[in-house]
Amino acid sequence: GKNEYDLLVIGGGSGGLACAKEAAQFGRKVAVLDYVEPSPRGATWGLGGTCVNVGCIPKKLMHQAALLGSALKDAQHYGWNISQPVHHTWSVMAQGVQNYVKSLNWGHRVQLQEKKVKYLNIKGSFSDPHTVRGLTKAGKETVVTADNIVITTGGRPKYPMHVAGALEYGITSDDLFWLKESPGKTLPSFILYVSLECAGFLTGIGLDTTVMMRSIPLRGFDQASTEYLTEHMESYGTKFLKRCFPTKVEKLKSNRLQVTWKNADLDTEETDSFNTVMWAVGRAPDTKTLNLETVGVKTNSETGKIIVDASEATSVPHIYAIGDITEGRPELTPTAIAAGKLLAQRLFGQSSELMDYDNVPTTVFTPLEYGCVGLSEEAAVQRHGSDNIEVYHAYYKPLEFTVAERDATQCYMKMVCLREREQRILGLHFIGPNAGEVIQGFALGIKCGATYPQMMKTVGIHPTCAEEVTKLHITKRSGLDATVTGC
């Protein structure tokens, strides 16, 4: 018989919702399955996926809370009379953030209804390539059939199961954003994007925060830039345990958590106690209950991610996958949204356009933000050879930092170019205030193949930090001091 739906999307995150809504625009019959398994600590949330509930949105809002704390200190230098000491109340911030997230959950449900997309709050698994079965919360079995199925279930944080007590006593970012009360003295352990971002805003709102990092910060990013980023965090008040890895977590009678770790450099065992231990060891694809083996969807045996081709197709006809669940794709909301829309257009809109994953801009929202687009210096050297690239760089001081006498030692930018005559820009890296806003603007030019001479012909907006990008002229090769002087 005929399948019930033209398209079934499994996973109500950014990519899945974008794909479903786009398909509905073509008059197709579409359904979305979404179910949030509670975290080991019991945290749960509504429709919208990681970004809305436990990712970009709450993270950026809490980052903003920390920036406001820094602004209060600066304000006194600008003539504002602020009584000291200022105090931050976690519960007020958390309530505001969580209320906003819940409004987004509701908004997504309304949008699906308006676009006539069926929303099913069930946990589904494949029984054949066109059929998904699942149970409602009441235990009623639901069977959904569709001509095309898109898997967009994303990932959930992993726990370091080799560390005794990790699961019993630790939390992840899934839990941090839904805490009602302050986490207190916190240890974000292992150095990932979210670990640094959370450590940054926790320090910024006045909490004692220590980051444990086993190796280099932010693997895959430009290493000089990430070193400046962590240096600034240290000067900002975040403590770092470098080349350390935890071995066990125990609960004390005081309810504090005692963490034992190995210091690889000193070959010693050390301990300290914390109110909260947060694991940031990466995310595992959420595929265990999908029954992918039954229908023959191939995954990478090491990562568990679904293998797809350039058109997001899996090894099974009519089954597709997009977003964080797919092998070799950036784990970023905007790429999942774009890929989802393009997939729907190819399936139902007679389009042949594929998602382009090159030159995707991104930003790490640490106290001093780090935005980048294109290749890191290391990747450019590996791809083209050190003799064939030119790196322009500068240390600059944001005008806003001057009156407030803020340290700008780590405010840095770097443009990686091909050395040939055209000098095409391969990558841009920016550490400073509003990095995301800065990089978003330059990303268009770099996507269009901008060259160094074209950038130098671009008139800057004075006096901004972004303006300094249009004035980059000192090369690393020259060995000259790259500190910007004057205005």
Side-chain angles (χ1 to χ4, degrees), residues 164-307:
L167 184 61
E168 294 90 331
Y169 305 122
I171 69 169
T172 67
S173 53
D174 277 4
D175 307 294
L176 182 71
F177 296 122
W178 289 95
L179 292 178
K180 302 293 184 192
E181 301 299 330
S182 171
K185 182 182 178 183
T186 305
L187 176 77
S189 188
F190 296 99
I191 202 85
L192 287 174
Y193 220 113
V194 72
S195 177
L196 286 182
E197 293 177 324
C198 290
F201 71 67
L202 291 172
T203 302
I205 61 176
L207 299 180
D208 185 338
T209 309
T210 303
V211 174
M212 185 177 291
M213 52 189 285
R214 188 168 193 159
S215 58
I216 61 172
L218 298 179
R219 191 177 300 279
F221 286 81
D222 187 81
Q223 282 306 294
S225 300
T226 56
E227 282 171 22
Y228 290 133
L229 183 152
T230 50
E231 277 176 22
H232 178 268
M233 288 185 69
E234 285 190 276
S235 67
Y236 183 71
T238 304
K239 296 186 278 285
F240 283 84
L241 293 168
K242 296 176 182 175
R243 298 255 304 138
C244 294
F245 51 94
T247 54
K248 65 180 174 181
V249 183
E250 301 165 288
K251 195 165 194 175
L252 304 174
K253 286 181 181 177
S254 63
N255 278 335
R256 286 171 73 90
L257 301 174
Q258 180 169 288
V259 182
T260 304
W261 65 86
K262 181 82 181 285
N263 185 316
D265 285 337
L266 302 176
D267 196 26
T268 55
E269 189 174 83
E270 300 166 12
T271 64
D272 196 2
S273 65
F274 303 86
N275 299 108
T276 302
V277 176
M278 189 191 96
W279 304 116
V281 296
R283 300 177 75 85
D286 200 4
T287 57
K288 286 180 186 172
T289 60
L290 288 174
N291 209 15
L292 296 179
E293 313 79 30
T294 299
V295 290
V297 173
K298 289 182 181 173
T299 60
N300 181 314
S301 58
E302 289 183 17
T303 64
K305 292 193 173 191
I306 296 172
I307 297 167

Side-chain angles (χ1 to χ4, degrees), residues 263-417:
N263 185 316
D265 285 337
L266 302 176
D267 196 26
T268 55
E269 189 174 83
E270 300 166 12
T271 64
D272 196 2
S273 65
F274 303 86
N275 299 108
T276 302
V277 176
M278 189 191 96
W279 304 116
V281 296
R283 300 177 75 85
D286 200 4
T287 57
K288 286 180 186 172
T289 60
L290 288 174
N291 209 15
L292 296 179
E293 313 79 30
T294 299
V295 290
V297 173
K298 289 182 181 173
T299 60
N300 181 314
S301 58
E302 289 183 17
T303 64
K305 292 193 173 191
I306 296 172
I307 297 167
V308 292
D309 65 14
S311 68
E312 324 299 348
T314 70
S315 53
V316 179
H318 314 301
I319 298 180
Y320 302 85
I322 56 172
D324 295 6
I325 194 117
T326 51
E327 183 63 39
R329 302 291 196 235
E331 294 185 1
L332 297 169
T333 287
T335 52
I337 291 171
K341 287 181 177 179
L342 288 170
L343 175 57
Q345 289 163 14
R346 289 195 302 275
L347 288 174
F348 307 116
Q350 298 175 331
S351 169
S352 59
E353 185 182 353
L354 299 174
M355 177 62 188
D356 180 0
Y357 291 97
D358 282 339
N359 289 321
V360 172
T362 191
T363 293
V364 183
F365 290 100
T366 38
L368 199 59
E369 297 171 9
Y370 166 37
C372 60
V373 59
L375 300 180
S376 65
E377 183 177 347
E378 292 79 14
V381 168
Q382 188 176 24
R383 191 174 297 187
H384 300 284
S386 56
D387 289 341
N388 296 316
I389 68 162
E390 196 74 271
V391 177
Y392 297 89
H393 66 152
Y395 298 88
Y396 69 100
K397 186 159 191 169
L399 184 63
E400 298 84 346
F401 283 22
T402 53
V403 171
E405 298 175 353
R406 281 175 67 175
D407 179 32
T409 308
Q410 290 86 23
C411 289
Y412 177 73
M413 61 183 67
K414 169 195 288 190
M415 190 188 298
V416 183
C417 304

Side-chain angles (χ1 to χ4, degrees), residues 443-458:
L444 171 63
I446 292 171
K447 189 77 176 171
C448 293
T451 64
Y452 175 74
Q454 288 171 333
M455 186 69 81
M456 292 307 99
K457 289 175 184 175
T458 302

Side-chain angles (χ1 to χ4, degrees), residues 10-25:
I10 307 175
S14 304
L17 292 174
C19 185
K21 288 186 285 187
E22 189 71 14
Q25 301 283 74

Side-chain angles (χ1 to χ4, degrees), residues 67 70-79 368 396-408 411 413 430-435 437-438 461-468 486-487:
L67 292 182
S70 297
L72 286 173
K73 294 174 187 173
D74 289 357
Q76 297 168 86
H77 295 275
Y78 283 93
L368 199 59
Y396 69 100
K397 186 159 191 169
L399 184 63
E400 298 84 346
F401 283 22
T402 53
V403 171
E405 298 175 353
R406 281 175 67 175
D407 179 32
C411 289
M413 61 183 67
F430 178 97
I431 297 179
N434 306 301
E437 311 296 343
V438 171
I461 300 171
H462 193 64
T464 63
C465 298
E467 173 192 25
E468 300 301 332
C487 72

